[in-house]
């Protein structure tokens, strides 16, 4: 393969990025966001603030202990988050499978090239040995 072909050829990763639908991009973004420390910290702060406002709010408690509305919000969040995260995991599994296949193809190609190089080196060694033997035979004469 020439260098111009290498530069213009797209990798499997670039092809995968271009083939993703809008929904797949959203699922990947949501999974990345929900799997981050930022999300955990922000959610923890919101829960603490929610509880604090309900404890401090003497006149109006919109969600008194045991925080049923908060539990409902968490259940709703989990109901939507779980399938979205599973979609992203399935896509990651597909990407891993494609990457493994591409790695295997690369390894097979590299093995073929190495075997060809070994054959060439062996041929060169045999050629050198033949020349050395012929030189030795000429030197004996």
């Amino acid at each position: 393969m020439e260098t111009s072909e290498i530069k213009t050829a797209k990798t499997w990763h670039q092809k995968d990025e271009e083939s993703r639908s809008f929904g797949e991009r959203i699922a990947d973004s949501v999974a990345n966001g929900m799997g981050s420390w930022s999300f955990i910290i922000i959610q923890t702060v919101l829960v603490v603030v929610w509880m604090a406002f309900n404890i401090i709010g003497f006149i109006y408690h919109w969600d008194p202990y045991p925080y049923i509305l908060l539990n409902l919000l968490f259940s709703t969040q989990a109901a939507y988050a779980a399938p979205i995260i599973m979609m992203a995991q399935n896509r990651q599994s597909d990407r891993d499978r494609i990457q493994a296949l591409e790695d295997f193809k690369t390894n097979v190609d590299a093995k073929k090239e190495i075997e060809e190089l070994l054959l060439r080196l062996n041929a060169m060694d045999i050629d050198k040995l033949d020349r050395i033997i012929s030189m030795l035979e000429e030197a004996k004469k």
Side-chain angles (χ1 to χ4, degrees):
M1 202 183 276
E2 294 181 18
T3 55
S4 62
E5 290 177 17
I6 292 173
K7 290 179 184 176
T8 58
K10 292 183 181 179
T11 65
W12 69 268
H13 185 68
Q14 291 168 330
K15 291 176 189 174
D16 178 66
E17 288 290 321
E18 291 173 357
S19 70
R20 292 190 314 168
S21 69
F22 179 71
E24 290 171 334
R25 289 185 183 135
I26 288 175
D28 289 345
S29 296
V30 169
N32 286 336
M34 293 187 101
S36 69
W37 277 107
S38 300
F39 177 80
I40 293 171
I41 291 168
I42 290 169
Q43 186 160 342
T44 302
V45 168
L46 289 175
V47 168
V48 169
V49 168
W50 182 286
M51 290 177 175
F53 280 164
N54 275 287
I55 291 171
I56 296 171
F58 293 113
I59 299 171
Y60 181 70
H61 298 280
W62 71 87
D63 188 22
Y65 182 81
Y67 310 114
I68 295 170
L69 181 58
L70 181 62
N71 284 325
L72 177 64
L73 291 174
F74 281 145
S75 296
T76 304
Q77 177 189 29
Y80 280 98
I84 291 172
I85 291 170
M86 288 180 69
M87 283 189 287
Q89 287 177 337
N90 288 340
R91 282 193 33 74
Q92 183 61 45
S93 171
D94 292 342
R95 284 192 297 258
D96 290 345
R97 196 173 302 110
I98 291 168
Q99 183 178 9
L101 182 60
E102 291 297 321
D103 288 347
F104 177 75
K105 289 177 183 176
T106 301
N107 290 342
V108 168
D109 291 342
K111 180 183 175 195
K112 286 179 185 176
E113 287 181 22
I114 291 170
E115 287 172 347
E116 288 174 12
L117 285 173
L118 284 173
L119 289 173
R120 287 182 191 169
L121 287 173
N122 284 339
M124 289 171 67
D125 284 346
I126 291 170
D127 186 45
K128 285 180 186 177
L129 287 174
D130 287 344
R131 279 193 256 158
I132 291 171
I133 290 171
S134 65
M135 289 171 66
L136 288 173
E137 286 175 354
E138 286 179 15
K140 284 183 184 178
K141 294 181 185 178

